[in-house]
């Protein structure tokens, strides 16, 4: 018992010695800078959403749209909008952009804090509608979604390839 007590006291003394601060300690003030990055949007370069006869609806996905916010803002809020030109083909009347319904759908990915909110499905046109938004949150964030386009092909459409430009903008 005495031997155990002696070992216990020796161990406690050793711990006390090990916790003594060094006699010659110095501090270094350390600084770093967080720089602001960009707010950007990436979209597919080109896509074919399908085919169908006059009087039908052609539905297809546009491909992943990704907003990257590296501004380091507080709050880190942004709104992505979408608009479209009319869909034209050589020598035939254009199909108005309003014949296309844009549905943002659920996010395919999100990174960061804050609230990511899809816009309401609606017809496209030259006036932008909200595709997606981010509210609150701080620092950097990323959101991706794969919108669906539904083209109501008019009964008067001609059997040719129609082309239009769908534009996403983030601010």
């Amino acid at each position: 018992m005495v031997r155990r007590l002696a070992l216990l006291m020796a161990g406690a003394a050793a711990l006390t010695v090990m916790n003594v601060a060094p006699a010659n300690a110095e501090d270094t003030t350390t600084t770093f800078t967080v720089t602001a990055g960009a707010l950007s949007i990436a979209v597919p370069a080109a896509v074919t959403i399908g085919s169908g006869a006059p009087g039908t609806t052609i539905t297809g996905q546009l491909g992943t749209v990704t907003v990257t916010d590296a501004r380091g803002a507080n709050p880190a809020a942004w709104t992505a909008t979408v608009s479209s030109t009319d869909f034209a083909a050589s020598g035939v009347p254009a199909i108005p952009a309003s014949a296309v319904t844009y549905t943002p759908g659920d996010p395919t990915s999100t990174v960061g804090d804050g609230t990511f909110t899809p816009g309401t499905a609606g017809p496209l046109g030259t006036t932008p509608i909200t595709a997606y938004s981010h509210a609150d949150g701080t620092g950097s964030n990323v959101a991706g979604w794969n919108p669906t386009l539904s083209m109501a092909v008019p009964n008067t459409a001609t059997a040719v390839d129609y082309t239009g430009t769908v534009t996403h903008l983030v601010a």
Side-chain angles (χ1 to χ4, degrees), residues 38-39 67-80 111-117 132-143 170-171:
L39 176 62
V67 170
T68 303
D69 183 357
R71 297 172 297 167
N74 182 6
W78 51 260
T79 299
V111 176
D113 61 354
T115 305
F116 298 91
T117 306
Y132 236 87
S133 63
H134 179 257
D136 305 319
T138 59
S140 295
N141 61 79
V142 177
V170 66

Side-chain angles (χ1 to χ4, degrees), residues 3 5 11 24 34 49 54 64 70 76 99 102 108 116 118 120 127 129 138 149 159:
R3 185 177 203 178
L5 184 57
N24 192 10
V34 176
I49 64 166
T64 302
Y102 180 97
T108 56
F116 298 91
T120 303
T127 301
I129 62 172
T138 59
L149 300 179

Side-chain angles (χ1 to χ4, degrees), residues 109-169:
S109 64
T110 57
V111 176
D113 61 354
T115 305
F116 298 91
T117 306
T120 303
L124 290 177
T126 56
T127 301
I129 62 172
T130 298
Y132 236 87
S133 63
H134 179 257
D136 305 319
T138 59
S140 295
N141 61 79
V142 177
W145 65 96
N146 189 355
T148 301
L149 300 179
S150 297
M151 167 66 77
V153 181
N155 287 325
T156 56
T158 304
V160 296
D161 290 338
Y162 288 84
T163 301
T165 301
V166 175
T167 302
H168 286 86
L169 173 75

Side-chain angles (χ1 to χ4, degrees), residues 8-124:
L8 183 60
M9 290 173 68
L15 284 175
T16 302
V17 170
M18 291 186 341
N19 285 331
V20 174
N24 192 10
E26 295 291 329
D27 294 332
T28 301
T29 301
T30 306
T31 304
F32 63 92
T33 303
V34 176
T35 59
L39 176 62
S40 62
I41 192 163
V43 299
V47 66
T48 300
I49 64 166
S51 60
T56 64
T57 300
I58 300 169
T59 300
Q61 291 191 293
L62 185 66
T64 302
V65 176
T66 304
V67 170
T68 303
D69 183 357
R71 297 172 297 167
N74 182 6
W78 51 260
T79 299
T81 58
V82 61
S83 60
S84 179
T85 63
D86 290 341
F87 291 79
S90 181
V92 299
I95 298 174
S98 60
V100 179
T101 299
Y102 180 97
T103 306
D106 293 329
T108 56
S109 64
T110 57
V111 176
D113 61 354
T115 305
F116 298 91
T117 306
T120 303
L124 290 177

